Amino acid sequence: MNELILIKLGVLTVFSFLFTIFLTPVFTDFVFKHKLGKQIRISPETPVFTQIHIKKTGTPTMAGILIWGTVLIFAVFLSYTPFNFLSRSETFLPLGVMVLAGIIGLIDDLYGIFKKSKNGQGISPLSKIIASGIISGICAWWFVYKLEFTSIFIPFWGNLEIGSIAAFLFFILVLLASSLSANETDGIDGLAGGVLLFALTAQGIIAFILGRLNLAALLSVTIGSLLAFLWFNIHPARFFMGDTGSLSLGAILGVVAILTNTVILLPFFAPVLFLESSSVIIQLLSKKFLKRKVFLSTPIHHHFEAKGWPETKITERFWIISVMSCVIGFIIWFLSRQ
């Protein structure tokens, strides 16, 4: 039985990869034809970022729609086949959140492309946070008051009951942080796609071990399409995933971590997301209270760019950090279940 399930997961991964690969020329023809390219921020407040990235102006963006679009297409068209993975208890919520976050990101990308805001930067950060917060709030409410998730797993301790209100607030924080941190990480070729690939793969393995097979199948499709995206996004990137990709993938990562009860281990499964968002927070606090910068530029991958590191070196080293951290996360998770 397990062999058949593994075959199903493998088939879903391979076919979602191939489907996205063949769908990509249609997407690229469209974005190049209509000149739907990235507008790089030009501001005296971010001179380092502008100097490093101005050459990428005009590179097509919004390619994240290939990822969540593929997942949605597979979910719909496979629903009446043996490869169906739609399940009210396992996949409705992560799939819905992924698509909703992707739509918010798509609006943001389009807003920036058509220069509706200052420097072509899309909707304001506050608007993005509010929109993501609303989705996170609805999702957290569903977890607590529909699925009755009111505890979190503490490694080597067990499930800690924290109550409905605390769980609701905690889940909002997790979902919002996961989504926005992925958005911060999407800054250089292949970085966000790679670290999210490792994190989602780790969650897929855990879902399989826990017997959440529909969830594992959903993640298999996501992983396959993400691999196809990375085929074209590795330096020099043919296109960027945009907010529609980073917000959706960050959102589904947070939802799946709650479903598998591995929220506390997220810093191990997605260490780069944690580092990126932490660097932004540290920089903001330092500028406000100490009147000086800690980093040359943030998120932290821009700091290393400013120090002269090539994009490929930053990306590959952050990938290595992600892999090794995931291994540590697995060790902690397995040992704590004994």
Side-chain angles (χ1 to χ4, degrees):
M1 185 64 178
N2 284 340
E3 289 81 1
L4 291 176
I5 294 170
L6 286 173
I7 291 173
K8 174 183 176 180
L9 298 179
V11 169
L12 287 171
T13 303
V14 171
F15 275 89
S16 64
F17 171 82
L18 294 175
F19 180 83
T20 308
I21 287 286
F22 287 115
L23 191 63
T24 298
V26 178
F27 170 81
T28 52
D29 286 346
F30 180 82
V31 293
F32 275 110
K33 179 181 178 180
H34 295 279
K35 299 180 180 179
L36 302 178
K38 177 72 173 177
Q39 304 299 315
I40 301 300
R41 180 171 70 252
I42 301 175
S43 170
E45 297 178 1
T46 57
V48 175
F49 172 85
T50 301
Q51 181 181 0
I52 295 172
H53 289 265
I54 192 65
K55 61 182 180 293
K56 295 188 177 185
T57 298
T59 302
T61 187
M62 302 189 302
I65 196 173
L66 290 169
I67 303 170
W68 61 264
T70 295
V71 176
L72 183 60
I73 290 171
F74 270 55
V76 172
F77 285 94
L78 295 180
S79 58
Y80 293 102
T81 74
F83 291 93
N84 172 51
F85 54 82
L86 286 178
S87 165
R88 182 181 296 273
S89 61
E90 293 184 25
T91 59
F92 276 16
L93 189 59
L95 180 61
V97 169
M98 185 185 197
V99 173
L100 285 175
I103 291 172
I104 290 174
L106 182 61
I107 294 171
D108 186 28
D109 288 333
L110 289 171
Y111 204 78
I113 288 170
F114 293 109
K115 302 179 181 179
K116 298 296 185 183
S117 64
K118 185 178 180 180
N119 294 321
Q121 285 306 292
I123 61 178
S124 69
L126 180 59
S127 298
K128 189 187 300 184
I129 291 172
I130 291 173
S132 299
I134 291 172
I135 294 178
S136 299
I138 294 172
C139 189
W141 177 85
W142 191 272
F143 271 122
V144 173
Y145 297 103
K146 288 292 186 179
L147 301 181
E148 298 182 347
F149 279 42
T150 57
S151 64
I152 54 176
F153 177 73
I154 308 296
F156 307 111
W157 176 283
N159 288 320
L160 176 65
E161 180 66 37
I162 59 176
S164 300
I165 296 177
F168 175 72
L169 295 175
F170 179 69
F171 291 155
I172 288 178
L173 177 62
V174 169
L175 295 166
L176 195 57
S178 177
S179 185
L180 296 178
S181 295
N183 190 224
E184 294 284 2
T185 305
D186 182 32
I188 57 177
D189 299 350
L191 178 58
V195 300
L196 285 165
L197 174 69
F198 299 131
L200 291 170
T201 300
Q203 288 295 326
I205 294 171
I206 291 174
F208 175 77
I209 294 172
L210 293 176
R212 294 179 174 270
L213 304 181
N214 288 317
L215 182 59
L218 171 65
L219 291 172
S220 294
V221 177
T222 306
I223 290 165
S225 59
L226 181 52
L227 279 168
F229 164 80
L230 273 172
W231 181 273
F232 297 97
N233 187 240
I234 291 174
H235 184 78
R238 182 168 176 77
F239 46 54
F240 305 138
M241 72 164 61
D243 284 12
T244 190
S246 59
L247 288 177
S248 62
L249 290 172
I252 194 175
L253 176 62
V255 172
V256 171
I258 296 173
L259 284 171
T260 58
N261 210 359
T262 57
V263 169
I264 299 300
L265 292 174
L266 260 184
F268 289 99
F269 293 127
V272 174
L273 269 63
F274 180 78
L275 289 173
E276 297 278 13
S277 56
S278 296
S279 69
V280 173
I281 294 170
I282 291 170
Q283 186 86 318
L284 289 173
L285 292 176
S286 180
K287 288 168 65 176
K288 182 175 180 61
F289 295 107
L290 302 179
K291 308 302 179 184
R292 64 182 180 86
K293 292 182 177 181
V294 175
F295 305 100
L296 296 175
S297 182
T298 55
I300 198 169
H301 59 260
H302 292 322
H303 170 78
F304 291 116
E305 280 187 292
K307 289 178 71 67
W309 287 27
E311 282 192 48
T312 50
K313 177 179 287 189
I314 299 169
T315 297
E316 290 164 11
R317 285 183 172 175
F318 277 25
W319 284 1
I320 292 171
I321 291 171
S322 296
V323 171
M324 296 309 299
S325 186
C326 280
V327 171
I328 295 172
F330 270 122
I331 292 172
I332 295 173
W333 184 72
F334 277 114
L335 291 177
S336 63
R337 296 178 73 237
Q338 301 302 316

